[in-house]
Amino acid sequence: AFTAYCHLFVADRAGADGTVVWSHIKRADLLELRGQKSRAADEYDRAVALARTLAAADPGSAAARRDLAVALNRRGDLYLDDN
């Protein structure tokens, strides 16, 4: 079921938007809950990278900045939990 759920979030990066950022965040959340912290970190890193790109492309977008802040916060929380 988890694999099927994860396949819902496969998206073409050319049309990426905040929804894809949140898809990576939610997938990472699930992986973290399952104890797969390394894979969760990879997903959070993907969310951060994409959110940075979107925020840079539209610096006036509060939503893009919020998405970046959330992605960075979740990644940071995972880092702190591991150390």
Side-chain angles (χ1 to χ4, degrees), residues 8-71:
L8 294 174
F9 300 118
V10 175
D12 178 15
R13 297 281 174 126
D17 62 11
T19 304
V20 179
V21 173
W22 280 96
S23 297
H24 285 294
I25 291 170
K26 292 301 183 183
R27 183 171 183 195
D29 291 346
L30 289 171
L31 290 164
E32 187 176 358
L33 287 172
R34 294 184 71 191
Q36 298 176 357
K37 294 191 177 201
S38 176
R39 290 181 63 199
D42 291 342
E43 285 298 321
Y44 285 132
D45 290 343
R46 287 184 186 99
V48 168
L50 181 55
R52 278 192 174 128
T53 300
L54 294 172
D58 188 1
S61 171
R65 291 191 317 262
R66 180 209 57 225
D67 294 348
L68 177 56
V70 170

Side-chain angles (χ1 to χ4, degrees), residues 56-81:
D58 188 1
S61 171
R65 291 191 317 262
R66 180 209 57 225
D67 294 348
L68 177 56
V70 170
L72 286 166
N73 187 52
R74 299 271 179 95
R75 181 61 176 101
D77 286 346
L78 181 65
Y79 176 79
L80 289 174
D81 287 346

